[in-house]
């Protein structure tokens, strides 16, 4: 039974979809039109924003909105943990670009969502949390699961680092303004995470009819003088393009710009596939689990400038490596004016505040073919052989009989899933992310998802459900055994017939912690996990599963999973002795520890 839930038997009030234009409600018994409640009005606001799915766990305090959601056109899915619902909502947004609602009851319900909500904010998703709070006249009286600014962090209820927009609704008079503010926020490029907190008594008050403002919002258009300056610079100097996840909607335009100018292209770990990874101008992935070919290029034949599109150049993208600094600096395009120059404050950076797609399209219009042709001849010449994407050959041929090497597993995933299907591939936090980032190769945008910002373990194990549902095609997650034990929602996938696939790298250990701390020089930490049969766990929930003990079983197991109409778990016993490509991350941690120690000594 859901937290704090008491079922109330009342006449159902059903939203009349056919009479949507009049925003009317109908009582199923006597067919009389009645005024909407605040709960009904909230649901109307959600549908007006384009919300098609709501994920969460109900409870007594959220029952009026819960009921209104169930009777609306919104598809409601009930999860096993609120964080899982939020993670799934985040990935559902990235799968189809439609905002997703998360609903939860008071107390632990809302607190449980916060990890997933923080991840959505960091990743740039569009998610709206609808939660219950304690009525004002009951606050301070030790109400069960009291939810108010008196008992919980104020940041939950206000705009700030957690939410772009947050509001405690105290009256239906606020709804029209709230609808307008949400419409503006969700219409802007980039992410937007909102929270509406509504006391149970307010949910049942008379609502109001919402008439959304359909006026067009201003776009993030680059300043004319700035873009002319950029055109002049790029027409006279060699440059490379650094592509990040924020440029995923401008893949076609970036490819055109690169081919017209001859610029080399590199991508952040999250930006894989935005520029085809088999293209002769593609250098490789930067930062976490990246490729040496990028560093070799920057050290041997660096461009004068780097055009940065859609990445903050944060730690996992750049490790703030001085080798990545071009002689004349960066041209950094982003919709957030605080991003350009933040990662490398000491470097000359020309900021361009613009939507990436609009910027590149405008630049292409201003960059004549004649100018681009001349520029292309000035660019550093390199061929497809300059960048060799990391591959792994089966050493010892067919004689290898040990546990599965992760590199071999990636090879099979590349062949069967990446090249043999149109599935979206997710990688959870940990060594699995490093293996996938380094070895998998994508040639289309929006087929790859990995988190290098918030990096919450278990986010993709539930996110794969949102991805599969919203994309209407099978999605696959590569995950470690530690994250799989934290959060997986296999049971939810079974309930709603969502044929997601989990590929578990099972070494009975927190693999990244084991390998990373050893590289840091710490030898006494305990990273072992009691062995788990994840295939058996899946079958116990009504899904399908199979264990893979050696490499000869991989192809058949993955092929079976991809054909299955059930949720499917592949439990792969991997060789923990194989070192994941996480060296640069460990070097960064060691350097941070050194800097901290020096600072502490100075303060003594």
């Amino acid at each position: 039974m859901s937290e704090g839930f008491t079922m109330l038997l009342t006449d159902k009030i059903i939203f009349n979809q056919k009479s949507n234009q009049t925003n009317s409600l109908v009582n199923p018994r006597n067919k009389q039109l009645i005024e909407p409640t605040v709960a009904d009005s909230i649901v109307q606001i959600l549908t007006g924003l384009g919300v098609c799915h709501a994920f969460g766990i109900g409870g007594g305090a959220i029952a009026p909105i819960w009921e209104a959601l169930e009777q609306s056109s919104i598809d409601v899915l009930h999860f096993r943990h609120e964080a899982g619902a939020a993670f799934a909502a985040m990935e559902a947004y990235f799968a189809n670009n439609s905002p997703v609602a998360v609903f939860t009851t008071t107390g632990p319900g809302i607190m449980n969502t916060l990890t997933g909500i923080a991840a959505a904010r960091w990743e740039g998703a569009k998610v709206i949390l609808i939660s219950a709070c304690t009525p004002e006249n009951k606050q301070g009286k030790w109400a069960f699961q009291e939810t108010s600014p008196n008992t919980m962090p104020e940041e939950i209820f206000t705009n700030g680092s957690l939410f772009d927009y947050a509001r405690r609704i105290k009256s239906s008079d606020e709804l029209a303004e709230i609808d307008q503010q949400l419409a503006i926020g969700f219409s802007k490029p980039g992410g937007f995470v909102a929270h509406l907190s509504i006391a149970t008594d307010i949910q049942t008050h008379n609502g109001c009819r919402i008439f959304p403002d359909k006026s067009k919002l201003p776009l993030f258009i680059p300043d004319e003088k700035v873009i002319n300056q950029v055109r002049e610079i790029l027409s006279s100097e060699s440059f490379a393009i650094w592509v990040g996840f924020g440029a995923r909607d401008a893949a076609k335009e970036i490819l055109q710009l690169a081919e017209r100018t001859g610029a080399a292209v590199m991508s952040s770990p999250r930006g894989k596939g935005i520029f085809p990874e088999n293209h002769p101008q593609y250098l490789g992935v930067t930062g976490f689990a990246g490729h040496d070919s990028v560093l070799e290029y920057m050290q041997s034949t660096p461009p004068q400038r780097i055009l940065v599109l859609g990445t903050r150049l944060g730690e996992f993208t750049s490790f703030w490596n001085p080798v990545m600094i071009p002689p004349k600096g960066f041209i950094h395009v982003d919709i957030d004016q605080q991003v350009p120059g933040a990662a490398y404050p000491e470097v000359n950076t020309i900021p361009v505040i613009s939507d990436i797609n609009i910027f590149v399209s405008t630049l292409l219009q201003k960059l004549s073919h004649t100018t681009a042709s001349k520029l292309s001849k000035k660019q550093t010449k390199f061929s497809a052989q300059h960048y060799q994407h990391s591959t792994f050959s089966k050493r010892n041929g067919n004689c290898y009989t040990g546990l599965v090497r992760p590199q071999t597993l990636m090879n099979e995933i590349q062949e069967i899933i990446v090249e043999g299907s149109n599935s979206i591939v997710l990688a959870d936090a940990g060594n699995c992310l490093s293996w996938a980032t380094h070895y998998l190769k994508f040639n289309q945008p929006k087929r790859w998802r990995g988190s290098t910002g918030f990096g919450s373990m278990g986010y993709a194990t539930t996110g794969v459900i949102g991805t599969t549902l919203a994309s209407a095609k099978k999605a696959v997650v590569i995950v470690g055994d530690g994250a799989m034990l934290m959060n997986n929602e296999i049971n939810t996938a079974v309930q709603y017939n969502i044929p997601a696939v989990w590929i578990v790298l099972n070494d009975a250990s927190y693999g990244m912690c084991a390998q990373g701390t050893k590289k840091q020089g710490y030898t006494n930490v305990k990273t072992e996990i009691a062995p788990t049969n994840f295939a058996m766990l899946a079958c116990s929930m009504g899904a399908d599963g199979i264990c893979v003990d050696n490499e000869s079983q991989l192809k058949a197991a993955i092929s079976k999973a991809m054909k299955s109409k059930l949720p499917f778990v592949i439990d792969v016993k991997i060789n923990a002795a194989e070192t994941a490509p996480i060296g640069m991350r460990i070097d960064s941690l060691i350097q941070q520890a050194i800097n901290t120690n020096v600072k502490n000594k100075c303060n003594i």
Side-chain angles (χ1 to χ4, degrees):
M1 185 166 289
S2 300
E3 294 158 347
F5 178 74
T6 302
M7 179 64 77
L8 301 177
L9 297 177
T10 60
D11 291 341
K12 284 189 176 181
I13 304 299
I14 302 176
F15 184 70
N16 187 350
Q17 298 300 324
K18 293 183 179 180
S19 58
N20 188 19
Q21 292 182 345
T22 60
N23 302 305
S24 59
L25 299 169
V26 60
N27 186 311
R29 289 187 175 182
N30 55 28
K31 307 300 182 182
Q32 293 178 346
L33 296 179
I34 64 173
E35 289 299 314
T37 65
V38 168
D40 299 317
S41 298
I42 292 297
V43 172
Q44 187 193 348
I45 289 174
L46 295 179
T47 56
L49 293 171
V51 172
C52 298
H53 298 100
F55 304 155
I57 299 178
I62 197 72
I65 289 179
W66 184 5
E67 171 80 354
L69 283 168
E70 292 282 10
Q71 299 299 335
S72 74
S73 61
I74 296 174
D75 191 12
V76 180
L77 275 71
H78 296 271
F79 280 68
R80 307 301 169 252
H81 195 276
E82 291 88 351
F87 288 137
M90 173 178 75
E91 293 304 328
Y93 165 73
F94 288 128
N96 68 2
N97 289 329
S98 294
V100 183
V102 177
F103 62 93
T104 179
T105 191
T106 51
I110 185 172
M111 294 301 289
N112 285 345
T113 65
L114 295 185
T115 302
I117 290 297
R121 179 73 184 274
W122 277 60
E123 295 290 315
K126 289 181 176 175
V127 173
I128 180 167
L129 172 63
I130 310 294
S131 75
C133 64
T134 303
E136 285 198 355
N137 63 353
K138 298 297 189 295
Q139 293 178 15
K141 296 183 178 181
W142 297 98
F144 179 64
Q145 298 180 342
E146 180 173 336
T147 302
S148 72
N150 300 322
T151 59
M152 291 187 173
E154 185 178 356
E155 290 78 8
I156 292 176
F157 306 100
T158 58
N159 303 355
S161 59
L162 188 57
F163 295 103
D164 295 289
Y165 178 85
R167 185 79 169 257
R168 281 194 299 147
I169 300 177
K170 299 180 181 180
S171 168
S172 62
D173 295 339
E174 305 171 45
L175 294 176
E177 179 195 349
I178 290 170
D179 178 58
Q180 184 179 27
Q181 293 297 318
L182 290 175
I184 293 172
F186 281 105
S187 297
K188 291 179 179 179
F192 190 79
V193 177
H195 177 206
L196 298 183
S197 175
I198 317 164
T200 309
D201 59 334
I202 302 298
Q203 296 175 43
T204 58
H205 282 185
N206 288 336
C208 63
R209 296 181 176 89
I210 305 298
F211 300 96
D213 183 2
K214 299 297 184 181
S215 59
K216 293 185 178 180
L217 298 170
L219 300 173
F220 284 81
I221 300 175
D223 181 85
E224 186 76 13
K225 292 181 180 179
V226 173
I227 201 164
N228 284 333
Q229 178 189 9
V230 171
R231 181 200 62 190
E232 291 299 322
I233 292 173
L234 298 186
S235 298
S236 58
E237 300 172 352
S238 63
F239 71 97
I241 303 174
W242 200 340
V243 176
F245 185 66
R248 61 192 180 279
D249 291 324
K252 180 180 178 181
E253 291 76 13
I254 294 171
L255 177 61
Q256 186 178 354
L257 177 64
E259 291 185 336
R260 186 181 294 185
T261 62
V265 182
M266 61 194 87
S267 72
S268 71
R270 286 205 306 162
K272 287 170 63 66
I274 295 174
F275 192 86
E277 293 192 81
N278 66 348
H279 195 283
Q281 290 172 235
Y282 183 68
L283 293 169
V285 175
T286 65
F288 178 74
H291 300 110
D292 291 340
S293 52
V294 176
L295 300 178
E296 292 170 0
Y297 168 77
M298 291 301 298
Q299 290 172 320
S300 61
T301 53
Q304 292 297 300
R305 307 259 186 182
I306 292 182
L307 176 62
V308 182
L309 303 175
T311 170
R312 300 182 184 95
L313 301 184
E315 181 178 4
F316 265 39
T317 295
S318 67
F319 289 116
W320 310 298
N321 190 341
V323 172
M324 298 303 298
I325 301 174
K328 294 190 177 181
F330 299 108
I331 300 172
H332 200 151
V333 185
D334 203 280
I335 59 173
D336 187 345
Q337 61 184 359
Q338 296 181 343
V339 169
Y344 291 95
E346 73 284 2
V347 177
N348 177 41
T349 299
I350 298 174
V352 182
I353 309 307
S354 171
D355 173 82
I356 306 296
N357 196 317
I358 294 175
F359 167 80
V360 179
S361 297
T362 306
L363 181 62
L364 284 168
Q365 293 173 5
K366 290 180 173 292
L367 200 63
S368 68
H369 286 276
T370 302
T371 302
S373 178
K374 293 179 180 179
L375 174 60
S376 181
K377 294 178 180 180
K378 294 180 181 180
Q379 296 281 22
T380 302
K381 298 296 183 182
F382 60 92
S383 67
Q385 301 302 316
H386 184 86
Y387 166 63
Q388 291 291 333
H389 198 289
S390 298
T391 57
F392 178 73
S393 59
K394 293 184 178 181
R395 57 179 182 270
N396 301 326
N398 296 325
C399 299
Y400 180 79
T401 57
L403 295 175
V404 176
R405 293 164 292 185
Q407 304 95 319
T408 305
L409 173 60
M410 295 305 124
N411 283 352
E412 297 294 350
I413 292 173
Q414 177 72 37
E415 179 181 340
I416 300 171
I417 299 175
V418 178
E419 298 174 8
S421 78
N422 65 347
S423 294
I424 298 172
V425 179
L426 301 88
D428 207 90
N431 274 354
C432 55
L433 177 62
S434 67
W435 291 120
T437 299
H438 195 77
Y439 285 100
L440 297 185
K441 185 176 181 180
F442 296 87
N443 295 321
Q444 306 89 28
K446 300 183 181 181
R447 286 198 57 200
W448 160 254
R449 276 288 296 137
S451 173
T452 56
F454 200 64
S456 178
M457 288 182 66
Y459 91 92
T461 65
T462 63
V464 69
I465 293 177
T467 300
T468 303
L469 181 70
S471 67
K473 58 186 178 184
K474 190 182 292 288
V476 179
V477 60
I478 305 168
V479 57
D481 50 351
M484 193 68 174
L485 287 169
M486 288 185 180
N487 208 6
N488 60 67
E489 300 285 349
I490 296 171
N491 185 274
T492 304
V494 170
Q495 180 175 356
Y496 296 104
N497 301 311
I498 299 174
V501 175
W502 291 260
I503 300 178
V504 185
L505 278 64
N506 191 347
D507 58 0
S509 171
Y510 291 112
M512 177 175 278
C513 294
Q515 295 185 0
T517 51
K518 184 177 180 180
K519 286 178 176 290
Q520 288 175 276
Y522 303 108
T523 58
N524 294 318
V525 295
K526 306 300 181 186
T527 58
E528 297 81 5
I529 299 174
T532 302
N533 187 319
F534 291 98
M536 186 179 293
L537 177 65
C539 292
S540 74
M541 294 184 184
D544 201 354
I546 190 171
C547 285
V548 173
D549 300 308
N550 60 70
E551 294 178 0
S552 64
Q553 301 169 339
L554 277 175
K555 189 180 292 293
I558 297 174
S559 298
K560 181 178 180 180
M562 294 303 291
K563 294 176 183 177
S564 176
K565 295 182 180 180
L566 294 174
F568 202 104
V569 174
I570 307 175
D571 184 337
V572 184
K573 303 301 189 295
I574 65 166
N575 186 342
E578 296 290 336
T579 303
I582 59 173
M584 285 188 283
R585 162 62 173 165
I586 304 307
D587 292 341
S588 179
L589 285 173
I590 292 172
Q591 188 61 41
Q592 291 176 53
I594 292 173
N595 291 341
T596 301
N597 289 336
V598 171
K599 182 178 180 180
N600 289 340
K601 287 180 181 180
C602 293
N603 291 334
I604 294 175

